[in-house]
Amino acid sequence: YQRRVRVSGRRHLDEAVMAMGTPYRHQADANAINHTSRLAGKVAGMRRFGSAALDLAYVAAGKFEGCFATGLKAWDVAAGILMVREAGGYVCDANGGQDILGSGSILAANDHLFDPLSKILIG
């Protein structure tokens, strides 16, 4: 039995479950806290598992609608970027660019919610 991995088809933020990541060892900066508070009342829920790789795999598998994380290393996200893209999702860094591995930040989401999430989190 084989099934293609696809991002979630949810189209509305108020139905979305987001994974959020903050830097390790209580080094969360004001930006990470600010991003979390911006989403708090707009999405159905937020989860923090502590693994960007797992968060991105869940976005690719359609279990989460998106994830946002900062303070990452390339090995935290490299495979997840490919999984999300291959599953039909979109990814960018915290500035809206494509320097995800260099910036240490990522926003990933399904194709319907990427733009609204980008506007909230990036501006």
Side-chain angles (χ1 to χ4, degrees), residues 39-86:
L39 277 182
K42 294 177 176 64
V43 296
M46 294 188 291
R47 307 286 185 266
R48 184 178 187 284
F49 288 108
S51 168
L54 180 62
D55 293 343
L56 291 167
Y58 279 178
V59 171
K63 296 182 184 306
F64 291 150
E65 281 62 57
C67 80
F68 184 82
T70 59
L72 303 170
K73 301 293 185 195
W75 55 80
D76 294 322
V77 295
I81 292 168
L82 179 61
M83 286 189 294
V84 170
R85 287 179 175 159
E86 288 293 317

Side-chain angles (χ1 to χ4, degrees), residues 21-24 29 31-32 35 52 56 68-78 81 92-95 97-107:
T22 56
Y24 185 63
D29 58 11
N31 285 334
H35 290 124
L56 291 167
F68 184 82
T70 59
L72 303 170
K73 301 293 185 195
W75 55 80
D76 294 322
V77 295
I81 292 168
C92 70
D93 63 27
N95 297 314
Q98 292 300 308
D99 186 26
I100 301 162
L101 301 180
S103 72
S105 63
I106 191 166
L107 167 62

Side-chain angles (χ1 to χ4, degrees), residues 10-44:
R10 288 202 170 118
R11 296 173 177 264
H12 304 286
L13 281 177
D14 62 354
E15 300 173 345
V17 177
M18 292 287 297
M20 301 297 290
T22 56
Y24 185 63
R25 292 193 183 239
H26 308 290
Q27 296 173 357
D29 58 11
N31 285 334
I33 295 166
N34 186 23
H35 290 124
T36 303
S37 66
R38 284 188 209 172
L39 277 182
K42 294 177 176 64
V43 296

